[in-house]
Amino acid sequence: MTTSIAIERVETSKITAVDFDNLPFGSVYSDHMLTCDFVNGKWQAPKIEPFAPISLAPSAKIFHYGQSIFEGMKAYKDADNNIMLFRPLDNCKRLNKSAQRLVIPEIPEEIFMDGLKALLEVDSDWIPTNDGSSLYIRPFMFASGNGFHASPADAYKFIICTAPSGAYFGGKVKVLIEEKYARAANGGVGYAKAGGNYAAQFYPTQLAIEKGFNQVIWTDDNTHQFIEEAGAMNIFVRINDTLITSPTSDRILDGITRKSILQIAEDNGIETEVRKISVGEVVEAAKNGSLKEMFGAGTAAVISPIAGFGHKEDEFELPVLEKPYATILKKMITDIQTNKAEDPYGWRVFV
């Protein structure tokens, strides 16, 4: 470790009050958090302190102009109590890509990685070992500088919080293909993990829920003829035995799970295509029986199978397969993440 990190530990841990056999996702928080401030044109020394509320002035620019970005990661423990991360440098690079787009100062890689590892060592007892559970990690940065004038802030805060969590989704997921609202536009911030992207999703998603669906499949902003993402996840479509996903762009997040799925699928003989997928193609495939699977891919759920989808006034159910790609690929990825399988890619990083 090259970064000097001051550590202030909690007087009494909350861990004894946590039921690790029944963990919700992302709503039970570990004892500590990492914080680091950007002031006077540079990042200060990071520190680890008790998880607690943040004090900000009402004039802090985060409240007015939305300079806020985040990442999602997980930490795991294997049978020998080794602590592992999955492709953490990709998260750091993507956070800085988001920072650049929102004119937030990039976080140095050594602060991100050294701070994260130190935080996991301090809160190592919070990393669950039950199957399907993990320690969810939320790094985020936001404008803490003050002012009502519409310009980038002069001060920022970087924080990493963690939450022991169970599975993200449960049960069958039904999605509605969106025909009016758009998640992102060309030249916009769709490729960045900006908080405002997700805020803008809530309303159309709520409309879909009121119609009996769980989530929305986003389509392109111009014609709504091409599917792009599933809720807050990248989307995969299997037609016959070919696994297809949309190319990344200004509108589509460069998902780390997405990249991992493509690599593992190709290396295991599954034919993949990265190309535009039209709504008409998916609907026609559902009608003629060649649509075998659809699933979302992201850090939280890893892979979330889609049981059916709605388009206009029609609803389609996907077939129940004996060995779906979703199940096969999810096991391959999670086995690498949890040190149950070899990692030929160097994705697994030990703390």
Side-chain angles (χ1 to χ4, degrees):
M1 183 178 295
T2 58
T3 306
S4 176
I5 301 174
I7 300 175
E8 178 191 352
R9 294 179 181 269
V10 295
E11 293 183 3
T12 304
S13 174
K14 309 184 298 281
I15 198 167
T16 55
V18 176
D19 181 0
F20 280 83
D21 292 324
N22 295 285
L23 287 170
F25 185 88
S27 58
V28 174
Y29 308 108
S30 312
D31 283 328
H32 300 88
M33 61 184 184
L34 178 101
T35 64
C36 187
D37 291 300
F38 182 90
V39 293
N40 299 322
K42 64 179 182 179
W43 287 103
Q44 307 300 302
K47 56 186 177 181
I48 292 173
E49 55 191 280
F51 181 91
I54 304 165
S55 178
L56 292 171
S59 54
K61 287 199 171 185
I62 175 57
F63 302 130
H64 308 282
Y65 302 111
Q67 279 182 288
S68 175
I69 57 176
F70 69 95
E71 275 296 318
M73 311 169 64
K74 288 179 178 178
Y76 308 85
K77 258 187 187 177
D78 66 13
D80 297 320
N81 278 328
N82 294 308
I83 301 171
M84 298 153 294
L85 294 161
F86 184 71
R87 306 185 71 167
L89 287 177
D90 287 333
N91 290 101
C92 182
K93 291 174 183 175
R94 192 171 63 183
L95 185 67
N96 281 331
K97 186 177 179 181
S98 300
Q100 185 181 57
R101 182 63 179 84
L102 272 73
V103 197
I104 295 172
E106 296 182 21
I107 190 76
E109 183 179 296
E110 61 269 19
I111 290 180
F112 185 98
M113 289 301 300
D114 290 351
L116 175 56
K117 289 180 178 181
L119 181 63
L120 292 178
E121 288 171 353
V122 169
D123 276 345
S124 63
D125 289 344
W126 285 87
I127 304 174
T129 55
N130 296 358
D131 283 343
S133 297
S134 60
L135 186 71
Y136 186 76
I137 302 167
R138 173 53 57 86
F140 60 106
M141 293 197 284
F142 61 90
S144 55
N146 299 314
F148 293 147
H149 49 290
S151 62
D154 60 1
Y156 297 86
K157 188 176 283 287
F158 170 64
I159 298 178
I160 303 178
C161 297
T162 63
S165 297
Y168 189 57
F169 288 118
K172 295 182 177 181
V173 176
K174 287 177 57 182
V175 297
L176 177 66
I177 296 179
E178 182 58 52
E179 297 181 273
K180 177 181 178 181
Y181 298 97
R183 177 190 172 274
N186 286 331
V189 296
Y191 69 89
K193 285 188 75 69
N197 289 351
Y198 298 80
Q201 291 188 37
F202 295 153
Y203 178 66
T205 302
Q206 185 60 42
L207 296 179
I209 290 171
E210 290 171 3
K211 294 179 181 179
F213 297 90
N214 305 99
Q215 195 47 271
V216 166
I217 288 186
W218 300 106
T219 50
D220 68 287
D221 64 305
N222 187 25
T223 67
H224 295 289
Q225 292 180 5
F226 296 93
I227 68 172
E228 295 198 334
E229 291 197 345
M233 298 183 289
N234 295 119
I235 188 166
F236 283 83
V237 174
R238 176 184 172 185
I239 296 179
N240 291 318
D241 290 332
T242 302
L243 195 60
I244 311 165
T245 193
S246 304
T248 57
S249 67
D250 285 351
R251 303 186 306 274
I252 298 177
L253 189 72
D254 185 14
I256 295 166
T257 306
R258 172 189 176 276
K259 292 188 288 191
S260 304
I261 288 171
L262 286 171
Q263 184 70 63
I264 291 175
E266 291 165 7
D267 291 349
N268 285 274
I270 296 174
E271 185 177 346
T272 64
E273 292 181 4
V274 179
R275 62 170 174 82
K276 288 185 174 182
I277 313 165
S278 74
V279 174
E281 180 183 9
V282 172
V283 170
E284 179 57 32
K287 289 178 178 179
N288 66 30
S290 60
L291 180 64
K292 304 301 182 184
E293 293 181 72
M294 296 172 68
F295 56 83
T299 297
V302 184
I303 289 176
S304 180
I306 294 170
F309 71 92
H311 176 245
K312 297 186 184 297
E313 302 303 318
D314 296 323
E315 290 192 30
F316 301 90
E317 288 190 8
L318 275 75
V320 177
L321 305 178
E322 186 176 344
K323 294 182 178 179
Y325 286 172
T327 301
I328 295 169
L329 292 168
K330 182 173 183 177
K331 185 177 189 307
M332 287 182 174
I333 291 176
T334 55
D335 281 355
I336 291 174
Q337 291 172 333
T338 56
N339 203 20
K340 294 177 181 176
E342 292 298 316
D343 175 17
Y345 311 105
W347 292 340
R348 192 166 53 222
V349 175
F350 288 92
V351 174

